[in-house]
Every structure is written in C-alpha cells, then in structure tokens.
Amino acid sequence: MKKSKIILASIVGLIIAAMAITIEVLDEDRMIPVEDLPTAVKTYVQNNYPNSNIAYAKKKNEIIKTTYKVGMSDGFELEFDGNGMLTDFDD
C-alpha cells in the first residue's frame, strides 16, 4: 500500500511538472514571418502606418488566447489579439 502511494505521488508530480513546462513553452513570444500575420493586422498597419515597415512580427500562444506583436521600423510596437484587433501600442 505504501509503495503504491509513492508511485501515485511520483506520477502526479511528473504530470504537474509536464504541465508547468508546457505552459512555459506556450507562454513565449516567437518570431513569425510577416506573411503569417492575420490579414486584419496587416491591413491595420498599412492603413495607419503607410510610411513605416514591419521590422518584426511575434506570435504568443497562451492557453486561452493568441496575441501578435508587431515591431515597426519607426520604433512603435503594436499588440493585437488573435482576431487582429489592436489591443496596445508602445512608442
């Protein structure tokens, strides 16, 4: 009985560790090609920053949502939700 409790506790510990690693991996920004941005993001940038270019694009997959960050050549950084709606910007 004691041995089975130890095994069960070890399995639960491994599951928790695997979940923590998965959450950490999902929670990181990763660079993506500009072509992979949602159409709404590219349209927003073209309409509102016609004299600037996208310097980089990042995608962040979280457990319940996806966000995109776009760095502009003029130094602005824009953040969009998974539907391509602007949620934040930094200058």
Side-chain angles (χ1 to χ4, degrees):
M1 184 70 154
K2 187 174 183 179
K3 189 175 184 178
S4 62
K5 285 183 181 181
I6 291 172
I7 292 172
L8 181 61
S10 297
I11 291 171
V12 170
L14 288 172
I15 291 170
I16 291 171
M19 289 174 62
I21 290 169
T22 301
I23 290 170
E24 182 65 27
V25 168
L26 287 175
D27 199 34
E28 292 183 11
D29 290 348
R30 64 186 166 85
M31 300 295 281
I32 62 169
V34 172
E35 298 80 34
D36 290 352
L37 287 169
T39 302
V41 171
K42 293 185 279 189
T43 300
Y44 179 89
V45 170
Q46 289 170 351
N47 291 339
N48 293 282
Y49 296 88
N51 298 322
S52 186
N53 297 313
I54 296 176
Y56 63 86
K58 294 181 180 181
K59 181 177 182 180
K60 185 175 188 176
N61 289 316
E62 298 178 26
I63 292 177
I64 57 172
K65 67 180 179 176
T66 298
T67 58
Y68 296 92
K69 286 186 181 176
V70 175
M72 304 301 295
S73 59
D74 60 6
F76 280 96
E77 185 174 77
L78 311 172
E79 188 169 324
F80 298 86
D81 66 16
N83 297 318
M85 299 298 295
L86 182 69
T87 58
D88 195 15
F89 69 93
D90 295 319
D91 54 355

